[in-house]
């Protein structure tokens, strides 16, 4: 099967090229672009938009963008959705977006909001996004007269936290600017359509993808086109199990053509080398091709494109945290303290915590000192180790040693320093706390007398949650019980 003659990527050409031509091609390798011919561009736009009109998901931010006539409100609605959707699944975002827009339907509402922003964002992850969104809203209201910048260039230049992708999405969807966008879904679609096998996050490949996105975007319907490309990557051209038979641009997909060629070669139906454009040999490594260390894998099919570089594992850190509880007029109260306004989980509330210490004795001493800093003198003998929580953030794998301390038979603490507060358990669940702290609290609840809070998600084992063992298992348990310490439970669940 013969591919169209348009260039697939930098360094792509006929295998039969002369040595002189190959040397010249290698010299200019970094300047070539994975362009598409006019006929392919027109066909791609038409097929993708027709599919999108029929198959697009009904999402709240799309309805707002279509129905809102005020340009600033429309841009704000798109802005909120794009920020929330960064590194977060659509299904997770829907309820957060709906609640956010009900509470702060305009830029002015968000600009005047208090710390409630962190509270509503809690559980969505990447918490700096919400803070920067509010900072941007305040800048629009206070410095730009309440009007959103109208182009991708000025959006990126003037608004904090707005990068190239977010600026392009707002400009194209809200204002109709013909500017292309590249997110993870679009990058995967473009890499497969043009058979780009290299890591799309590399600088050179990223530049080529942005250029291709700009070439392809439909000037008549730029917002719909960009959303269609994202929709295709999210629902059809997925990372692991793409639905090629449902793809509206399958006939234009170079990755699919490569799969068919490889299948013909493997079956013997195609003899020799196929007459297709490939990188010429001995010209050095093409920056857009599959890396030499990862050649074509017949079992992967189109998933060969693109190959991602191995991700650096998150660094590991440990800390100790304590749930401090005291009786209150409206039920039990727990102590929370606020994190600094910068860095990881900035501005959120958490249980008092300290850095992990190598010995249990030092750990208890440091944790007790931290608790007393917020709540005054406390009985050290009541501090109990309850278990362990492992929570993975984007770049940190953090292990929490969970402790509990219940204040009984003493006068409740009524005053605390700034940055601390007592909450009921009901208030805790609606407070601006991270998912990690909710996991910690589940461990604490599961260890309280008369409770049985273990769940599949938390994987906490407690006496009342275990099934009664068979007779043979009882014999083994009795034999090993004296040799194995069971004073700590393990919780090891990944972050969303």
């Amino acid at each position: 099967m013969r591919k169209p003659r348009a260039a697939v990527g930098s360094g792509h050409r006929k295998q039969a090229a002369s040595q002189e031509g190959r040397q010249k091609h290698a010299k200019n390798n970094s300047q070539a672009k994975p362009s598409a011919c006019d006929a392919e561009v027109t066909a791609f736009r038409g097929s993708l938009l027709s599919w999108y009109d029929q198959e697009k998901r009904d999402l709240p931010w799309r309805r707002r963008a279509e129905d809102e006539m005020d340009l600033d409100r429309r841009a704000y609605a798109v802005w909120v959705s794009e920020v929330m959707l960064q590194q977060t699944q659509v299904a997770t975002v829907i309820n957060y977006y709906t609640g956010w827009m009900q509470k702060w339907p305009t830029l002015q509402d968000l600009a005047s909001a208090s710390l409630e922003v962190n509270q509503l964002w809690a559980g969505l992850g990447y918490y700096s996004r919400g803070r920067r969104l509010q900072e941007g809203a305040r800048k629009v209201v206070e410095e730009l007269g309440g009007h959103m910048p109208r182009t991708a260039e000025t959006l990126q230049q003037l608004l904090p936290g707005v990068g190239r992708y977010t600026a392009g999405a707002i400009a194209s969807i809200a204002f109709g600017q013909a500017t292309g966008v590249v997110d993870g879904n679009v990058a995967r679609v473009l890499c497969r359509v043009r058979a780009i096998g290299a890591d799309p996050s590399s600088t050179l490949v990223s530049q080529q993808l942005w250029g291709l996105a700009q070439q392809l975007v439909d000037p008549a319907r730029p917002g719909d086109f960009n959303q269609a490309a994202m929709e295709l990557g999210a629902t059809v051209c997925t990372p692991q199990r793409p639905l090629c038979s449902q793809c509206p641009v399958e006939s234009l997909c170079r990755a699919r053509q490569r799969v068919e060629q490889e299948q013909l070669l493997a079956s013997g139906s195609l003899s020799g080398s196929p007459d297709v454009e490939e990188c010429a040999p001995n010209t050095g490594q093409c920056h857009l091709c599959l890396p030499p260390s990862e050649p074509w894998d017949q079992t992967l099919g189109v998933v060969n494109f693109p190959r991602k570089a191995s991700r650096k594992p998150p660094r590991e850190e440990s800390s100790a945290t304590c749930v401090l509880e005291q009786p209150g007029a409206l039920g039990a109260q727990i102590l929370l303290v606020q994190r600094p306004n910068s860095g990881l989980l900035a501005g959120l509330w958490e249980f008092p915590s300290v850095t992990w210490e190598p010995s249990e004795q030092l750990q208890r001493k440091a944790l007790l000192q931290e608790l007393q800093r917020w709540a005054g003198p406390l009985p050290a003998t009541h501090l109990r180790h309850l278990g362990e929580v492992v929570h993975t953030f984007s770049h940190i794998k953090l292990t929490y040693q969970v402790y509990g301390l219940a204040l009984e038979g003493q006068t409740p603490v009524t005053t605390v320093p700034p940055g601390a507060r007592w909450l009921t358990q009901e208030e805790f669940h609606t407070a601006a706390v991270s998912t990690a702290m909710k996991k910690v609290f589940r461990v604490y609840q599961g260890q309280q007398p008369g409770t049985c809070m273990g769940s599949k998600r938390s994987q906490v084992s407690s006496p009342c949650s275990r099934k009664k063992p068979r007779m043979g298992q009882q014999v083994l348990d009795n034999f090993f019980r004296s040799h194995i310490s069971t004073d700590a439970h393990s919780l090891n669940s990944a972050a969303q």
Side-chain angles (χ1 to χ4, degrees):
M1 180 175 180
R2 185 183 180 91
K3 288 184 181 179
R5 295 295 298 273
V8 173
S10 63
H12 284 65
R13 52 162 297 159
K14 291 281 188 177
Q15 288 185 347
S18 66
Q19 181 65 27
E20 179 181 356
R22 287 197 294 266
Q23 291 173 349
K24 181 179 180 181
H25 191 74
K27 181 178 180 181
N28 297 324
N29 182 46
S30 63
Q31 297 177 355
K33 294 183 178 181
S35 59
C37 68
D38 291 343
E40 286 180 306
V41 170
T42 301
F44 188 90
R45 290 171 178 169
S47 298
L48 183 60
L49 285 169
S50 294
W51 169 83
Y52 180 70
D53 290 338
Q54 296 294 322
E55 303 294 337
K56 65 181 178 182
R57 290 171 291 179
D58 180 24
L59 300 173
W61 44 90
R62 288 179 179 164
R63 292 195 299 271
R64 280 184 176 269
E66 293 171 357
D67 298 339
E68 181 58 66
M69 300 304 296
D70 183 278
L71 291 181
D72 293 307
R73 285 198 174 204
R74 182 193 303 168
Y76 168 64
V78 175
W79 186 12
V80 172
S81 69
E82 292 299 338
V83 172
M84 285 188 172
L85 286 166
Q86 294 169 11
Q87 305 295 324
T88 310
Q89 295 181 352
V90 167
T92 301
V93 170
I94 289 175
N95 288 337
Y96 281 93
Y97 180 83
T98 302
W100 182 285
M101 297 305 293
Q102 287 175 347
K103 194 170 188 64
W104 303 298
T106 68
L107 286 159
Q108 290 74 14
D109 293 323
L110 178 59
S112 61
S114 62
L115 293 178
E116 296 170 306
V117 171
N118 271 343
Q119 182 175 335
L120 197 148
W121 200 276
L124 196 55
Y126 300 90
Y127 297 94
S128 62
R129 295 180 296 170
R131 185 175 67 254
R132 288 180 179 176
L133 187 56
Q134 186 178 37
E135 291 173 1
R138 286 174 174 167
K139 183 168 185 178
V140 171
V141 171
E142 296 170 5
E143 301 179 25
L144 303 179
H147 298 296
M148 291 279 290
R150 292 306 199 249
T151 67
E153 295 74 20
T154 53
L155 283 162
Q156 187 175 356
Q157 178 184 359
L158 297 176
L159 300 185
V162 173
R164 186 177 184 181
Y165 163 76
T166 304
I170 297 172
S172 62
I173 298 172
F175 303 127
Q177 182 184 358
T179 182
V181 298
V182 177
D183 69 347
N185 287 320
V186 175
R188 183 168 57 258
V189 169
L190 296 181
C191 281
R192 289 174 180 170
V193 167
R194 306 308 293 177
I196 298 173
D199 177 13
S201 66
S202 69
T203 300
L204 186 144
V205 178
S206 178
Q207 290 174 348
Q208 304 286 13
L209 293 176
W210 276 97
L212 184 56
Q214 186 60 42
Q215 180 188 11
L216 292 174
V217 65
D218 191 315
R221 299 176 60 188
D224 285 341
F225 180 89
N226 287 335
Q227 291 184 91
M230 290 184 272
E231 187 87 341
L232 185 65
T235 62
V236 175
C237 195
T238 55
Q240 298 301 325
R241 295 179 178 84
L243 306 174
C244 294
S245 63
Q246 300 178 24
C247 179
V249 294
E250 181 185 15
S251 63
L252 301 169
C253 181
R254 301 289 177 87
R256 186 62 189 167
Q257 293 170 6
R258 174 68 182 273
V259 171
E260 293 172 352
Q261 293 159 13
E262 294 291 342
Q263 290 172 344
L264 289 173
L265 281 172
S267 66
S269 300
L270 185 66
S271 60
S273 299
D275 185 17
V276 296
E277 293 179 340
E278 295 290 353
C279 278
N282 304 318
T283 61
Q285 170 59 27
C286 169
H287 293 289
L288 299 182
C289 283
L290 291 170
S293 59
E294 300 181 62
W296 179 264
D297 185 339
Q298 187 72 29
T299 64
L300 293 179
V302 299
V303 179
N304 278 284
F305 302 99
R307 298 288 181 86
K308 290 188 177 181
S310 57
R311 179 178 295 182
K312 183 179 179 181
R315 71 175 187 268
E316 297 191 11
E317 296 183 2
S318 299
S319 70
T321 187
C322 181
V323 180
L324 179 62
E325 180 183 309
Q326 71 173 4
L330 300 177
Q333 296 179 320
I334 50 180
L335 180 68
L336 292 180
V337 298
Q338 192 170 28
R339 292 184 60 84
N341 288 325
S342 61
L344 182 68
L345 306 176
L348 296 188
W349 294 81
E350 67 178 5
F351 300 114
S353 305
V354 295
T355 304
W356 178 79
E357 297 288 348
S359 75
E360 176 71 10
Q361 184 178 2
L362 291 175
Q363 186 73 88
R364 287 176 174 271
K365 181 179 179 181
L367 189 55
L368 191 63
Q369 289 177 343
E370 176 68 9
L371 292 169
Q372 291 175 338
R373 184 166 76 91
W374 298 105
L378 298 171
T381 55
H382 292 179
L383 187 63
R384 298 184 301 126
H385 181 246
L386 304 177
E388 181 180 280
V389 165
V390 179
H391 189 92
T392 303
F393 299 93
S394 58
H395 59 293
I396 300 174
K397 182 179 180 181
L398 187 52
T399 300
Y400 296 91
Q401 297 299 330
V402 182
Y403 289 78
L405 200 164
L407 302 180
E408 299 174 352
Q410 65 183 72
T411 304
V413 179
T414 55
T415 60
V416 290
R421 58 178 178 168
W422 291 95
L423 297 180
T424 65
Q425 294 188 15
E426 290 73 19
E427 291 171 333
F428 169 82
H429 290 296
T430 59
V433 297
S434 67
T435 301
M437 287 298 105
K438 291 179 180 178
K439 292 179 180 179
V440 167
F441 191 57
R442 285 202 296 269
V443 173
Y444 176 78
Q445 287 183 305
Q447 297 299 307
Q448 298 313 295
T451 64
C452 181
M453 302 299 293
S455 68
K456 289 184 179 180
R457 182 179 179 185
S458 63
Q459 299 177 8
V460 176
S461 174
S462 60
C464 59
S465 66
R466 301 192 192 105
K467 294 181 179 179
K468 185 177 180 180
R470 298 186 299 272
M471 181 60 67
Q473 186 64 46
Q474 288 178 341
V475 174
L476 290 175
D477 289 345
N478 290 333
F479 176 79
F480 286 111
R481 188 169 290 118
S482 61
H483 302 281
I484 299 176
S485 173
T486 59
D487 61 341
H489 297 281
S490 175
L491 175 68
N492 188 352
S493 56
Q496 56 184 352

